[in-house]
Amino acid sequence: MAKGDDALARKRNRVRRKRLRSSENAVSARVAAIIASKRRRKSGKRRGCEGMCFSLPTPDDPFNERHGKKSKVDEPTDDTDAAAAVVKDGNPRKKDANTKKQPQARAGAKAKSKAIRERATETEEGGVDFDRPSKFLVVCLNAIRDAVAPEDGGGSSSIHGAGDWGVELWMCCSAPAPSDVLDTSGASATLEQTAWLVSTACDIVARKERLGMVVSCPFLLYIVPSQEKAAQVRSICKPLKSLGIHSVSLHPGASIEHQIAGLKSCEPEFLIATPERLLELVSSKVIDISSVSMLVIDGLRCFMDLNVTDKIYSIRDAISSSPQITIFTDPSDKNVATMARNLLHGRITKLSVNDSVSSRSAFITQHVHLCPLEKQKTLKVKEILEQILKSHAKKISKVLLVAENDKKAQNLSSSLKLETCTVTDDTHGNSFTMCSSVGLMNVLVKDQETIAMTDIGEFEIVLIVDLPPSVDEYSEILTVVARHVIGGEVHSIFCNTDAPLVKPLAEVLAKCGQVVPEFFKHLELEPS
């Protein structure tokens, strides 16, 4: 039986209503294309020829199928052009539409262009950028802050306040060649420092997993002196479980059977342990720490007071790899420096969240030499350099001489010819090398005006020929010298014209635990 006109009309109306309910077909083809373009623009997937990013056809690509991108056969051969192409096409970061095109780098910067190209390749392949902390690190910090805030009444908001220290720590740990860290802020790590440390470890684990690298378990080994400290660190790591980072605490406060069962139930990325319980489990072959990537020793001075330094050395020897080591310690004891040297063998970076001069100048020895007359300074400098050569025998030392102005720096550089040493001048500036039968010394002469452009942290020894008019400038030099070695020396020559600096300089020496010269006491007694 044929359908009537009413049935056919109802059927056509259903089809029309269905078509109208479809967002793509409810409008014309032109309006639908505009809607689709807007969606792509909001999602960050717009085409190269849309919006403000125009790409014109070229003879090599007349139909604009590449959207302005270079093909592999058209890759530039020059290092500088290749770097510019990578930065333009391979950088995953969004650029503002109004951003001007950056000029090309100089043709001579081949090393820099190569580094940019390699970094861009890593970022393009794995989404990893080692120039700055990732968003995941901030997520970890926020998780710790939100979990700890109810316990301390909201005082944990200062976790982000230690940002400068935390970023420096992240740079040391996340670099392609990680640097060991020696923190001299206090006897042990604070809550903020621990939060930054474990968040940095989380960030490194996430980056390695994104690159398809195998992450060893445990990745982080956190050594603590007591059960109370282990519980504190464990409470900071616990909020990271929801982000896929598991942590286990090993201490004498719990039965060893319970801890063995916990280790068998999961493979923790973070391990917080006291030395005694950790070595007991390692000797029983319950856990393997040979592949640990990060080692933290929280409170080196406390371990020395507990007479467990031999256990710390045993833990370090049980790690067959070359882990990145972070040590928190109080620098007041000289024996701490000796033990730190035995544990840290590579390049180190000294950090401190404390702004005090005594904390930032930890392990730096200060010497003040008396030279009454200005014209005798050159002879005094020669004498001090000879003493440095003898005290650092069989070693290459880097020495920085600081003069008052450029003229004095040039005169000092030209007149330094020791009788027992051979001096080789450098044509590139006021720098030279001193050779003797006992050692080698690389000397650089700078004036106080241009010293800000010099990386003082690379020098182990600094000789201040002309004291600055303010003791604050002296403290600035003192707090940044020898940042990458345990130890360092700051020598200064004191003349009669520097008498106003006697009292403030003596205070700095006393705060840093240095010996105040006897002639300072006589100068303080003399009437001005």
Side-chain angles (χ1 to χ4, degrees):
M1 182 176 180
K3 293 184 179 181
D5 295 337
D6 293 341
L8 295 175
R10 285 195 297 270
K11 185 177 180 180
R12 284 195 298 269
N13 290 337
R14 283 197 300 269
V15 172
R16 290 172 182 173
R17 287 195 299 270
K18 186 176 180 180
R19 186 182 299 119
L20 289 174
R21 284 194 295 268
S22 176
S23 60
E24 294 293 337
N25 299 324
V27 294
S28 62
R30 176 177 175 275
V31 177
I34 295 175
I35 294 174
S37 176
K38 184 177 180 180
R39 287 179 179 175
R40 286 192 297 269
R41 186 170 65 253
K42 286 187 175 182
S43 63
K45 298 180 180 179
R46 61 182 178 183
R47 297 170 182 170
C49 58
E50 292 179 348
M52 297 296 294
C53 301
F54 294 101
S55 56
L56 300 176
T58 61
D60 296 333
D61 186 19
F63 299 102
N64 199 25
E65 296 175 342
R66 303 174 191 165
H67 303 296
K69 297 180 180 180
K70 293 183 179 293
S71 63
K72 293 184 178 180
V73 296
D74 296 332
E75 287 183 353
T77 57
D78 183 70
D79 289 340
T80 304
D81 295 339
V86 169
V87 173
K88 180 179 179 181
D89 299 330
N91 195 346
R93 290 175 288 183
K94 299 179 183 178
K95 290 188 177 181
D96 189 6
N98 298 324
T99 304
K100 296 182 179 180
K101 184 179 179 181
Q102 297 294 330
Q104 291 186 352
R106 297 180 181 178
K110 292 185 178 180
K112 184 176 180 180
S113 65
K114 182 179 180 182
I116 294 175
R117 185 164 63 253
E118 292 176 352
R119 189 186 309 132
T121 303
E122 292 177 356
T123 304
E124 183 179 7
E125 292 178 354
V128 179
D129 189 354
F130 289 99
D131 284 344
R132 60 189 182 276
S134 66
K135 293 182 180 179
F136 183 67
L137 184 139
V138 181
V139 171
C140 296
L141 288 173
N142 291 338
I144 296 173
R145 179 198 60 190
D146 297 339
V148 179
E151 300 178 4
D152 62 357
S156 62
S157 59
S158 60
I159 286 179
H160 294 291
D164 294 339
W165 182 92
V167 172
E168 284 191 85
L169 175 74
W170 177 88
M171 292 176 64
C172 294
C173 299
S174 302
S179 169
D180 294 337
V181 175
L182 179 61
D183 183 87
T184 58
S185 304
S188 61
T190 62
L191 184 148
E192 294 81 6
Q193 290 175 312
T194 305
W196 270 96
L197 182 59
V198 297
S199 299
T200 297
C202 291
D203 184 47
I204 297 174
V205 170
R207 288 169 183 265
K208 288 188 174 184
E209 290 180 346
R210 254 179 285 158
L211 290 173
M213 301 173 64
V214 178
V215 179
S216 61
C217 288
F219 178 81
L220 169 67
L221 177 58
Y222 201 113
I223 306 298
V224 293
S226 62
Q227 176 184 344
E228 292 75 14
K229 185 65 177 180
Q232 179 185 353
V233 178
R234 175 71 176 85
S235 64
I236 297 174
C237 298
K238 193 173 182 179
L240 303 175
K241 185 177 181 180
S242 60
L243 301 175
I245 302 297
H246 299 269
S247 58
V248 172
S249 176
L250 306 176
H251 53 78
S255 63
I256 191 170
E257 292 79 9
H258 174 72
Q259 294 174 352
I260 292 175
L263 290 172
K264 290 182 177 179
S265 63
C266 70
E267 292 185 357
E269 286 81 9
F270 295 172
L271 194 63
I272 306 121
T274 56
E276 300 87 349
R277 179 54 58 89
L278 177 63
L279 290 176
E280 186 177 357
L281 293 173
V282 170
S283 61
S284 303
K285 296 184 179 180
V286 177
I287 189 170
D288 182 19
I289 61 173
S290 60
S291 301
V292 168
S293 299
M294 292 182 65
L295 174 63
V296 180
I297 302 175
D298 193 353
L300 187 61
R301 175 70 180 275
C302 297
F303 293 112
M304 296 178 65
D305 295 339
L306 295 173
N307 294 323
V308 293
T309 55
D310 55 336
K311 294 181 173 59
I312 299 296
Y313 288 127
S314 300
I315 293 172
R316 176 63 184 90
D317 295 338
I319 303 175
S320 58
S321 60
S322 299
Q324 188 276 333
I325 303 178
T326 301
I327 297 178
F328 295 91
T329 185
D330 182 5
S332 58
D333 191 353
K334 293 182 179 180
N335 295 327
V336 171
T338 303
M339 185 174 180
R341 288 191 187 95
N342 296 332
L343 292 171
L344 307 177
H345 303 296
R347 178 182 174 87
I348 73 163
T349 300
K350 289 189 291 187
L351 298 180
S352 176
V353 75
N354 193 345
D355 293 333
S356 65
V357 178
S358 58
S359 178
R360 292 191 172 272
S361 63
F363 309 117
I364 302 296
T365 306
Q366 303 176 53
H367 304 274
V368 182
H369 305 270
L370 178 62
C371 180
L373 301 179
E374 185 77 20
K375 60 183 180 181
Q376 298 176 348
K377 277 188 176 181
T378 303
L379 296 175
K380 193 67 176 179
V381 171
K382 293 180 180 180
E383 178 185 342
I384 296 172
L385 292 179
E386 288 178 347
Q387 294 176 359
I388 294 173
L389 272 174
K390 293 178 181 178
S391 60
H392 295 77
K394 308 299 181 182
K395 182 180 177 182
I396 301 177
S397 303
K398 296 179 65 176
V399 182
L400 174 65
L401 304 186
V402 182
E404 182 179 1
N405 49 50
D406 184 60
K407 183 178 180 180
K408 288 187 176 182
Q410 292 179 1
N411 294 335
L412 184 64
S413 178
S414 60
S415 61
L416 282 177
K417 294 183 179 180
L418 305 186
E419 296 178 358
T420 59
C421 302
T422 302
V423 179
T424 304
D425 293 327
D426 185 1
T427 57
H428 299 288
N430 296 331
S431 61
F432 49 87
T433 302
M434 292 185 174
C435 305
S436 70
S437 59
V438 295
L440 186 68
M441 179 187 299
N442 296 324
V443 183
L444 176 65
V445 184
K446 284 288 183 178
D447 60 278
Q448 297 176 5
E449 298 176 356
T450 60
I451 195 174
M453 298 181 291
T454 305
D455 187 5
I456 307 178
E458 296 291 336
F459 292 88
E460 303 176 15
I461 303 171
V462 174
L463 173 54
I464 304 176
V465 181
D466 301 304
L467 280 171
S470 173
V471 74
D472 294 335
E473 298 179 30
Y474 171 84
S475 300
E476 290 179 4
I477 298 175
L478 176 64
T479 53
V480 296
V481 67
R483 287 196 66 200
H484 303 297
V485 294
I486 302 176
E489 300 177 12
V490 174
H491 298 261
S492 56
I493 298 179
F494 191 90
C495 291
N496 291 335
T497 56
D498 300 321
L501 296 175
V502 170
K503 187 175 181 179
L505 187 56
E507 293 177 355
V508 172
L509 294 172
K511 288 180 180 179
C512 298
Q514 303 292 318
V515 178
V516 180
E518 289 292 333
F519 64 86
F520 268 29
K521 300 177 182 179
H522 299 296
L523 291 174
E524 289 178 351
L525 296 176
E526 293 180 1
S528 56

